[in-house]
Amino acid sequence: MTTGCVQPARNAANSFKNPEAIANYAEGPPRFVPGFEALHRMTGVLLAETAPAQARVLVLGAGGGLELGALAQAQPDWRFVGVDPSDPMLDMARRTLGPLMQRIELVHGYIDDAPAGPFDAATCLLTLHFLDAAERLRTMQALHSRLKPGAPLVTAHSSFPQDPASRPTWLSRYAAYAVAAGANPEQAASARAAVDAHLNLLDPGEDEDILRDAGFSDIAMFYAAFTWRGWIARA
Ligand SMILES: C[S@@+](CC[C@H](N)C(=O)[O-])C[C@H]1O[C@@H](n2cnc3c(N)ncnc32)[C@H](O)[C@@H]1O
């Protein structure tokens, strides 16, 4: 899967279960998500504002291991639980993370399969756009219940204006950025079509409402890059 999170929403987990399809996964996000490396760095900085030196961090949608690797390298004393329903994506995480796995526990499943915690911090990157609004709320509520009071959560995923005048323009910019970043134009066009047809896209305001309804407060957008948005919030 090289297209940076564009698989059909109704079988999102299944989309990541084909080892061939995800073989080159790590190439996708840097091409399709502007500032992908900086997003990881900012996530680490935001979590470290309040997380303790020996924080235990919950990483939901951890397949591939990219943010786990970035966070584990930035914070040598943090420990992590990574949760993901895709075995091939978890296998890729194990291969990518190598010795860092000593501080990481990977759990196959969904948020309900995560330990109760309570955790000192959490992330959910490039994942929530696969969930419809009701499942997104349920997932965020279950994640909230696994955090210590006031603990930080960083989320980032596809979220941009959905009105009929704006949506196609932003989708085209999403594809154009990928081509500018080195993606094959046909692949970028196919990714655009898949995002348009299959992802559960919400307005950024709706995403903020879901976080609020799930019990989070101090919700602040820290990242906006074409079709992508990221938030810091507190449990
Ligand atoms: C595009 S990948 C993002 C992986 C990683 N967070 C990153 O940024 O590279 C989306 C991941 O979400 C996982 N996923 C899909 N539905 C999920 C759910 N309901 N809960 C947790 N993870 C889910 C998929 O298996 C996949 O590994």
Side-chain angles (χ1 to χ4, degrees):
M1 211 279 284
T2 59
T3 50
C5 325
V6 294
Q7 302 301 303
R10 250 176 286 176
N11 60 353
N14 289 341
S15 304
F16 288 95
K17 286 181 177 165
N18 176 350
E20 282 177 24
I22 64 165
N24 300 314
Y25 172 74
E27 294 172 14
R31 285 188 178 146
F32 283 82
V33 184
F36 183 66
E37 196 183 329
L39 174 62
H40 286 169
R41 198 171 295 126
M42 288 186 282
T43 298
V45 167
L46 289 167
L47 298 185
E49 284 176 339
T50 51
Q54 302 200 324
R56 190 163 178 243
V57 181
L58 176 60
V59 175
L60 184 63
L66 299 179
E67 69 267 49
L68 276 170
L71 292 171
Q73 278 169 357
Q75 294 289 343
D77 293 325
W78 286 6
R79 288 177 303 121
F80 303 86
V81 174
V83 180
D84 199 289
S86 160
D87 276 324
M89 289 293 278
L90 290 173
D91 287 344
M92 182 179 299
R94 284 184 198 98
R95 288 195 301 275
T96 303
L97 293 164
L100 294 172
M101 277 299 297
Q102 287 170 2
R103 289 187 283 130
I104 298 167
E105 176 191 351
L106 292 178
V107 175
H108 175 261
Y110 298 87
I111 186 64
D112 311 289
D113 301 300
F119 290 87
D120 297 301
T123 69
C124 188
L125 303 185
L126 313 192
T127 296
L128 289 178
H129 49 224
F130 293 113
L131 282 54
D132 65 28
E135 181 61 11
R136 214 179 287 202
L137 173 60
R138 198 194 71 76
T139 296
M140 287 296 99
Q141 285 170 329
L143 193 155
H144 182 276
S145 75
R146 287 166 169 76
L147 287 173
K148 291 180 182 168
L153 163 72
V154 169
T155 63
H157 50 269
S158 189
S159 177
F160 58 96
Q162 296 300 308
D163 63 275
S166 305
R167 179 179 160 119
T169 304
W170 285 110
L171 284 171
S172 294
R173 289 170 177 162
Y174 161 81
Y177 178 85
V179 173
N184 174 306
E186 277 180 23
Q187 182 194 25
S190 137
R192 184 198 186 286
V195 169
D196 195 17
H198 300 301
L199 286 196
N200 283 298
L201 297 169
L202 301 180
D203 271 299
E206 294 176 291
D207 266 311
E208 292 186 8
D209 287 344
I210 286 174
L211 288 174
R212 198 169 296 111
D213 292 347
F216 288 94
S217 57
D218 296 341
I219 301 161
M221 187 187 292
F222 71 93
Y223 171 74
F226 280 8
T227 56
W228 304 91
R229 300 288 183 278
W231 290 270
I232 167 87
R234 305 219 170 267

